[in-house]
């Protein structure tokens, strides 16, 4: 009698959808961000948009997008390398997240982890550590499922040791966040080291589709929106303060505004006193031998003749106000490693022109300043 064959259930492979159209959108996404940035700067005015497209350097726009990718790219790669193997280990089935994770080599993961260490803020570094340990532990479970010793060392011992060391190093910052009642900073610093050992293994098969799919689509929707907001608020032109002399001979200004000298006094006579200089603060679009083109913060474009140009100064862009004072060894948690180790900008006295006030004329020798 022939031996009875043992029938094993065949694992049906999930059908692979044709998703090459997603790859065609990747180069178009930065282009859309650049166009939206110019449209945002032009205050929805088509003529101003065309002027900016003509003169704004594409390299300046691309630099803004590249600086945004410093923190977006590590988040995307590490999330795919965690969610993909997690879904396959939990359910035994592939999905689009697992296929994306399989196409990412290990050296890409190592590079993005290094980029994240340099570009992410201090308060996000524990999350980066948690994602890196989770990606490494899940990769070991997939590639060496029978090596119990290595699985125990990388998936349990290493996350526990790293979590304890992380909490020990961050203890002063965690104590400051707890004392100040800064809940968001406290969670970002304390939760990832404590949760790292829980993310290196599979989840229940019934919960895996809900967890993985919901997190995948949430990241796919939120990350482009956050990146777009960052790009739209980033400067693309140098902020300049231009001091202008009054328009001579009662002529109208090039942008169509009336000359201040042409105003009449209540008695009907023209003012004979010399008008003071004006200061225009805006973003420098272009300059040539006749005109200086400036985009004001209000969105209006001003064309200024070089004959009226008295002085010009580059103004510092007002930085973002820190939302927390929590720090670690004089390192604010909202600063990245690059900004912390880079040399500080040279201190310079504030320029009155950047505040909208012209430079006061020099006093003659021997003249005493007016009393306050």
């Amino acid at each position: 009698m022939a031996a009875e064959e043992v029938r094993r259930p065949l694992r049906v492979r999930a059908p692979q959808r044709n998703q090459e159209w997603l790859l065609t959108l990747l180069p178009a996404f930065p282009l859309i961000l650049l166009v939206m940035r110019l449209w945002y700067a032009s205050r929805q005015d088509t003529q101003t948009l065309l002027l900016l497209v003509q003169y704004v350097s594409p390299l300046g726009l691309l630099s803004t997008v590249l600086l945004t990718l410093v923190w977006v790219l590590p988040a995307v790669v590490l999330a795919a390398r965690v969610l993909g193997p997690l879904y396959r280990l939990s359910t035994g089935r592939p999905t689009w997240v697992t296929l994306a994770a399989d196409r990412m080599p290990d050296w890409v993961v190592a590079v993005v982890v290094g980029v994240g260490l340099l570009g992410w803020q201090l308060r996000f570094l524990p999350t980066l550590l948690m994602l890196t340990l989770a990606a490494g532990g899940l990769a070991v479970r997939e590639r060496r499922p029978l090596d119990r010793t290595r699985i125990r060392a990388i998936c349990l011992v290493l996350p526990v040791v790293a979590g304890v060391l992380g909490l020990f190093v961050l203890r002063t910052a965690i104590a400051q966040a707890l004392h100040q009642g800064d809940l968001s900073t406290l969670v970002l610093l304390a939760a990832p080291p404590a949760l790292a050992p829980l993310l290196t293994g599979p989840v229940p098969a019934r919960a895996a589709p809900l967890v993985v799919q919901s997190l995948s689509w949430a990241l796919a929707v939120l990350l482009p929106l956050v990146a777009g907001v960052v790009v739209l608020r980033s400067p693309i032109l140098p902020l300049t303060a231009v001091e202008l002399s009054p328009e001579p001979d009662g002529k109208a200004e090039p942008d169509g505004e009336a000359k201040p000298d042409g105003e009449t006094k209540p008695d009907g006579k023209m003012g004979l006193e010399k008008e003071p200089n004006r200061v225009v603060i805006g973003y420098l679009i272009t300059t040539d031998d006749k005109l200086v083109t400036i985009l004001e913060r209000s969105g209006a474009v001003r064309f200024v003749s070089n004959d009226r140009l008295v002085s010009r100064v580059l103004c510092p862009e007002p930085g973002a106000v820190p939302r927390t004072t929590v720090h670690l060894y004089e390192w604010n948690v909202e600063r990245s490693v690059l900004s912390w180790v880079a040399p500080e900008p040279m201190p310079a006295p504030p320029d009155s022109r950047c505040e909208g006030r012209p430079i006061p004329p020099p006093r003659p020798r021997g003249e005493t300043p007016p009393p306050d």
Side-chain angles (χ1 to χ4, degrees), residues 14 62 70 76 97 142 228 247 253 260 273 282 288 297 325 327 343:
L62 289 177
V70 167
V76 172
V97 184
E142 271 198 324
E247 183 71 17
E253 294 189 359
E273 296 180 359
D288 53 27
R297 289 181 172 180
T325 58
H327 61 87

Side-chain angles (χ1 to χ4, degrees), residues 38 51-61 236-237 284-285:
L38 296 179
L51 180 67
L52 293 177
V53 171
Q54 182 179 0
Y55 289 107
V56 173
S57 171
L59 184 59
L61 295 172
I236 57 175
L237 293 169
L284 181 64
I285 299 178

Side-chain angles (χ1 to χ4, degrees), residues 129 133 157-171 193-194 196-197:
L129 175 64
L133 294 175
V157 177
L158 181 60
V160 171
V161 173
V164 172
L165 291 178
L167 292 175
F168 178 77
V169 173
L170 299 172
R171 67 188 186 280

Side-chain angles (χ1 to χ4, degrees), residues 126-173:
T127 304
L128 179 66
L129 175 64
M130 179 188 67
L131 293 176
T132 304
L133 294 175
L138 294 173
V140 170
R141 287 184 181 273
E142 271 198 324
R143 299 172 185 178
R144 298 180 179 273
L146 302 179
D147 194 345
R148 299 298 179 183
T149 303
R150 181 170 298 185
I151 291 177
R152 189 179 299 109
I154 297 180
C155 298
L156 182 61
V157 177
L158 181 60
V160 171
V161 173
V164 172
L165 291 178
L167 292 175
F168 178 77
V169 173
L170 299 172
R171 67 188 186 280
T172 57

Side-chain angles (χ1 to χ4, degrees), residues 176-192:
Q176 293 176 23
L178 182 62
H179 177 72
Q180 299 177 10
D182 192 348
L183 182 60
S184 60
T185 303
L186 178 63
V187 171
L188 289 173
L189 294 178

